[in-house]
């Protein structure tokens, strides 16, 4: 990630690393509960609703090239079962680790004269900006990776009836009598033939009428 405008220290997902003092080996542990930002999950599948509490446990460690952040995020995700389409809730725990580089140091921690010369390389990196780090993108990636792509309300969810859409978990004995379309066609043909025979039997015989008139 290229360097942006100054980070807002009032943002709950922005953390101050000044206490570490760029002393390799310095360690800081933090616990914080924040509100989930927008689009915190897999769109239209499952995710942590905006504003839902997210519990964070963080370990910030100063190293030569920057600040190594290791942490765990816990929250409740909401979505829809892909089998029966019922709403579901999922207790989520996402672990993550990310390096935030000092903008004036290379990969070996040495100070460089003009940081950001390699724009392509900077796009894939996160930086410490004025002693602050922004964890929003790191947390979003961790949450997405921890969420199931096909959430189910339970592992053995039978889903919906393919014919009428009934929820099979509510009626385990639910079924429809299967009719072979080939037999159905023959039954229709037989019915047509029987109807024809009845019409013939119901008609008057010409010879009988003439004798009765005489």
């Amino acid at each position: 990630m290229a360097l942006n405008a100054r980070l807002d220290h009032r943002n709950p997902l922005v953390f101050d690393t000044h206490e570490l003092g760029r002393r390799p080996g310095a360690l800081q542990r933090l616990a914080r509960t924040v509100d989930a930002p927008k689009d915190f999950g897999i769109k239209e599948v499952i995710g942590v609703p905006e504003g839902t509490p997210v519990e964070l446990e963080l370990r910030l460690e100063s190293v030569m090239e920057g600040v190594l952040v290791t942490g765990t995020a816990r929250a409740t995700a909401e979505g829809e079962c892909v089998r029966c389409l019922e709403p579901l809730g999922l207790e989520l725990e996402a672990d993550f680790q990310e390096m935030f580089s000092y903008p004036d140091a290379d990969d070996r921690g040495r100070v460089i004269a003009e940081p950001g010369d390699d724009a392509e390389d900077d796009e894939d990196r996160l930086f410490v900006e004025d002693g602050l780090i922004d964890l929003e993108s790191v947390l979003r990636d961790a949450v997405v990776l921890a969420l199931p792509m096909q959430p189910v309300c339970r592992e053995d969810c039978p889903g919906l009836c393919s014919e009428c859409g009934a929820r099979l978990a509510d009626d385990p004995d639910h079924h429809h009598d299967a009719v072979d379309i080939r037999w159905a066609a023959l039954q229709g043909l037989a019915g047509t033939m029987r109807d024809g025979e009845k019409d013939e039997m119901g008609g008057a015989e010409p010879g009988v009428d003439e004798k009765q008139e005489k």
Side-chain angles (χ1 to χ4, degrees), residues 105-154:
D106 64 10
D107 292 336
R108 290 174 294 278
R110 298 176 305 186
V111 175
I112 53 179
E114 297 181 5
D117 283 346
D118 191 341
E120 292 184 1
D121 182 56
D122 285 351
E123 289 180 358
D124 298 327
R125 299 172 64 186
L126 297 173
F127 290 92
V128 179
E129 301 182 33
D130 296 327
L132 304 176
I133 58 175
D134 186 353
L135 289 184
E136 181 170 340
S137 63
V138 175
L139 286 176
R140 179 173 282 106
D141 291 346
V143 166
V144 169
L145 289 175
L147 289 170
M149 294 296 294
Q150 295 187 319
V152 292
C153 58
R154 68 186 202 201

